[in-house]
Amino acid sequence: DMVSFVSEGSGNWRELSRRLAAASGAERAAATQAEMETATSTTVDVTPGRAQYAPSANKAWCSISATGALESPSYNVSSVTDTALGNRTVNFTTAFSSAVYAITSTDKSGSGSGAQTSGIGTDNFLTTSVQVFISDSAGNGVDRATSHIFTGDQ
């Protein structure tokens, strides 16, 4: 086993990294994509290039301006198409393995922006894109700044 620490002064130490050896004394193997997707192994290490395959990892996220523009930074979102008032299509860089995935969305307009968003809905779940609808309390489409997180299997 190897553990690296850094001194924070006054006798305080913070752990920077830890590398555990397998029972045989050899280094542990890095998790494969399949091992990350099943999320059951406790004998392999997670590497940065494989963390995205864990079922609980966010697979894409973005913020969209009130004008429908994709804001930077974003992750795994190639573009946003503003198709109508309150209607946007979010396009993914890497497709989901099926059209079954979760979306968490929020209105970023803030309390000083006038009429607030009543709802953010979704439709047309495809592996490569999804439609997002933003509406006011009367059900009319409105353009508001929004943020979205997408979770599922890719």
Side-chain angles (χ1 to χ4, degrees):
D1 296 353
M2 180 178 10
V3 182
S4 299
F5 294 92
V6 66
S7 173
E8 294 183 332
S10 303
N12 295 315
W13 292 85
R14 179 172 43 98
E15 183 177 324
L16 289 177
S17 64
R18 178 181 299 255
R19 183 87 190 186
L20 302 177
S24 66
E27 288 189 6
R28 291 168 31 141
T32 65
Q33 179 176 341
E35 288 168 325
M36 290 301 301
E37 289 175 347
T38 58
T40 57
S41 178
T42 59
T43 62
V44 293
D45 291 334
V46 177
T47 60
R50 296 281 189 229
Q52 70 206 36
Y53 298 116
S56 60
N58 295 329
K59 301 307 191 289
W61 54 265
C62 67
S63 288
I64 304 170
S65 72
T67 62
L70 177 63
E71 296 180 341
S72 183
S74 64
Y75 177 72
N76 196 32
V77 174
S78 59
S79 63
V80 173
T81 307
D82 191 353
T83 57
L85 190 62
N87 186 347
R88 290 138 182 197
T89 300
V90 177
N91 302 292
F92 304 116
T93 304
T94 301
F96 282 86
S97 61
S98 76
V100 179
Y101 48 89
I103 302 174
T104 303
S105 300
T106 187
D107 177 357
K108 294 177 30 175
S109 299
S111 60
S113 64
Q116 292 299 294
T117 299
S118 175
I120 300 175
T122 53
D123 195 12
N124 296 330
F125 280 76
L126 302 175
T127 59
T128 56
S129 66
V130 65
Q131 277 187 296
V132 177
F133 301 100
I134 306 109
S135 61
D136 61 16
S137 60
N140 301 311
V142 292
D143 285 338
R144 298 265 194 266
T146 55
S147 290
H148 310 277
I149 299 171
F150 306 88
T151 306
D153 185 52
Q154 287 185 312

